Amino acid sequence: MSTETLKTIIDSLNAEPFNAGLDVVTFSALPNDKLLQHLSNVICWVDGEPFIDIKREGADETAFRIFNALRIIRYRPPADIESLQEWRSQIVEGEPTALYPIFDYIFSNIEEVREKMYLARFLIRVDIPAEYQSDPEIAELLSQTNVLMDQFKEVHQEASKVRSNSDAVEDIMRDLKLMDEEKDQLKRKIDIIQRKTQRISNMDKHLALATLHRKEQERAEDLQTQKQAGRNAEIIAEQQMQRLDGVLQDLEKTSKAMDFAGMIETLEEEIATDRYMSEEKLAGELEAACIALDDLKKIVSIPVMDRRDIDELKREIENKNAEVIQITEERDNREQQIDESLSIYRHQANAVQRKKAGLADQLQRAREELATITESVEMHRQELIEKSGTDEFITSVQFKTYGERLRVKSNAFKRKNSELDRLTTEISISEETLHLLQSQWQDLRDQIERSGVSVSENLEEEVRIPERPKTAKPKSTDVEELKDMVREMTERLNEEKTEVNMLTERVRDQREEVKNLQAELANRIEQREATRNDLLSAISEGEAKTESLEEALAESRQQREATRNDLLSAISEGEAKTESLEEALAESRRRAAELEEEVEQLHIWLDKLDDGPEMVRQLEADIEAANNDRHQLIDMEKRRPPRPDGAKQMAMWKALEQIFLKKIELARSPNKKPHDNFGEAPIGDRPPRVETAMGHRN
């Protein structure tokens, strides 16, 4: 890195608010952690944040903060992947080779970097997880944030325009003040000149002649400029013509030495090579690329594979390898049966094909290298054009042309020198003519004085004013005619004074118009200031809205946490209800067992009682009530969350249902005794055997 760049970095670090107190030696001897701390301080200062001690935060947090800031200010890292990884590790370790360019970039573009960090504070979007984006409130807040970001962009652009316009207005006001000062100075100079010229006779003629002289000078300058431009255009045209002549001569020499038969052979070879490249080599490469692309598409379309799919693919690969081995063996067997004399030609053809493919690859690489070299030459040519300002480069032919052009210019110089000598001679002749005219004027003045008319000359004033051109000799020497001429000149002077008065009035009117325009300009400046204030207020309102949106986003996050807590409490309540349902189910099972016992007792009582049908109806009513309870429990069981032992419970309820149906069938059968089919009933439904007084079991 250059010494000037180091000096710029050190001066910036020694200024406010860093006050590092560094010089070249101490800055070069800084350890890596101190240098990284200075970079962190610079990034915090640019972002408008307080300084952060990197020792109190993790290395990953420091690296993330620095890389994020570099991404915002659009610092270009290395393009190569390996160089990029090395660059990142050097920044994390605080290597000077990676940090010095970052310091240089920030301090060289400080205003631009600050503006980017300021805009990033309001325009970087918040990353929201995908599971929360479906929330309508969050989606609405995101849309509002996007709208406010767009409004902030528009307001920032308008504010930038107003800021630039305000700077331009300040420059205009400064220029107006300078113009007013120059105007006052010119007024004072004009007053001084007017006082000096009041005593000069024929002032109007002097002014007219001075105006004519100024116009002629301006015209001469314009003619000189046009002449110089024409001369430059002529030189450029000569250079182009000489360059084109050289190109034409080279083309003529090339055409004379050209071998048309060799060119045709070369073209035929190039056509054959291009045909092979396009029809065979590139077509094969394109086909292979298409096959590889199809394979990649198939791989992408394959769903997620598990261990079973991998084993199946391995089995398929083994089968394919076995098929390949078998096909190879069959080919070898077929080749053994073919005449060996033909294999020589086949091997030669394969060798020629391989050599052809190798030469095609070399040709392709040579063409790519030629394109690269051509591009490099063109790039260097553009750099030379930018440095020299012209696309002309000195060669031997051009140097000879330069010598010829120098001889032409030498001849032109000699010609102009002779012309200058001629003009010098003319000047000497003019001076002699002037001397003769002065002697004639002396004689004329003596004659006028002898006629009784005094001639007054103010030599002091004539010294201060520019010398006017000599007037022609008067037509007459008569005093009366001279008086008439003086009278006419006086009348003309009065007329011109009236014209001067009119011009003065016009100047006064124009001054009033200038004052009005200045007042209008002041009003417009006030309007622009008002507009600027309105835009600044709009910017402040936008910032306030942004802060309110951030508060609303925080509130929405709190509401989301509250909703999550409510869901957790609802889940806990559901678990409690599930436990209560399980208890109710256990109670129903206990009640079903009691009902079974009651049914058994009823079967016993049916042998002794005559009112069997009434007991059956009562039993059916109890069974129906139990069924209703069972259905209610089943509905409750369906509404509660599924349990791992649901299949067992379903089987138990189905068995219980079959038991009750069988009991109803037995109770409704009029021809059978209650205990006729006890042997067929399930073991759990058989009533206990009761021994009668006769000593046997019923």
Side-chain angles (χ1 to χ4, degrees), residues 602-614:
L602 287 173
H603 281 296
I604 296 171
W605 293 345
L606 284 173
D607 296 334
K608 299 179 181 181
L609 297 175
D610 296 332
D611 53 352
E614 293 180 359

Side-chain angles (χ1 to χ4, degrees), residues 14 18 130 297 332 346 416 437 499 540 550 594 601:
N14 290 334
F18 307 109
K297 288 182 179 178
D332 294 338
R346 186 171 61 254
K416 291 182 179 180
L437 291 174
E499 291 179 359
S540 62
E550 290 178 352
E594 291 176 359
Q601 293 295 329

Side-chain angles (χ1 to χ4, degrees), residues 543-555:
E543 292 177 352
K545 289 181 179 180
T546 305
E547 293 176 356
S548 63
L549 283 176
E550 290 178 352
E551 294 176 357
L553 184 59
E555 291 179 358

Side-chain angles (χ1 to χ4, degrees), residues 224-281:
Q224 187 66 25
T225 305
Q226 294 176 4
K227 184 178 179 181
Q228 187 65 32
R231 188 175 301 164
N232 295 333
E234 183 181 358
I235 292 170
I236 293 171
E238 288 179 356
Q239 292 176 355
Q240 292 178 355
M241 186 174 67
Q242 291 173 1
R243 185 174 66 252
L244 293 174
D245 287 339
V247 173
L248 180 60
Q249 291 176 3
D250 294 337
L251 291 175
E252 289 177 353
K253 291 179 182 178
T254 305
S255 63
K256 289 179 181 179
M258 189 178 295
D259 185 9
F260 297 102
M263 289 180 63
I264 291 173
E265 292 178 358
T266 305
L267 289 174
E268 289 177 353
E269 292 177 357
E270 289 182 358
I271 290 169
T273 304
D274 293 336
R275 185 180 292 112
Y276 169 74
M277 293 285 291
S278 61
E279 294 179 358
E280 296 183 15
K281 186 176 184 302

Side-chain angles (χ1 to χ4, degrees), residues 293-387:
L293 182 61
D294 294 335
D295 294 337
L296 291 174
K297 288 182 179 178
K298 289 179 182 179
I299 292 170
V300 171
S301 61
I302 291 174
V304 180
M305 300 177 65
D306 54 1
R307 188 67 184 176
R308 183 175 54 192
D309 296 334
I310 295 171
D311 295 336
E312 185 177 356
L313 288 174
K314 287 182 178 179
R315 287 194 297 272
E316 290 181 359
I317 291 169
E318 292 176 356
N319 295 330
K320 294 294 182 183
N321 289 331
E323 291 179 0
V324 169
I325 293 170
Q326 184 179 0
I327 292 169
T328 305
E329 291 177 355
E330 292 177 357
R331 186 194 64 185
D332 294 338
N333 293 329
R334 284 197 304 271
E335 288 181 353
Q336 289 177 1
Q337 298 174 2
I338 299 173
D339 189 5
E340 293 182 355
S341 61
L342 297 177
S343 62
I344 297 173
Y345 298 105
R346 186 171 61 254
H347 289 306
Q348 289 179 355
N350 292 331
V352 170
Q353 188 68 22
R354 286 194 298 272
K355 187 180 292 184
K356 194 175 181 180
L359 291 174
D361 292 335
Q362 290 179 4
L363 178 61
Q364 188 173 3
R365 287 195 296 271
R367 286 181 176 178
E368 291 177 354
E369 186 177 359
L370 178 61
T372 305
I373 292 171
T374 305
E375 185 178 359
S376 177
V377 169
E378 185 64 24
M379 183 177 65
H380 287 299
R381 182 173 177 274
Q382 294 296 331
E383 290 179 356
L384 289 174
I385 289 172
E386 291 178 357
K387 290 180 180 178

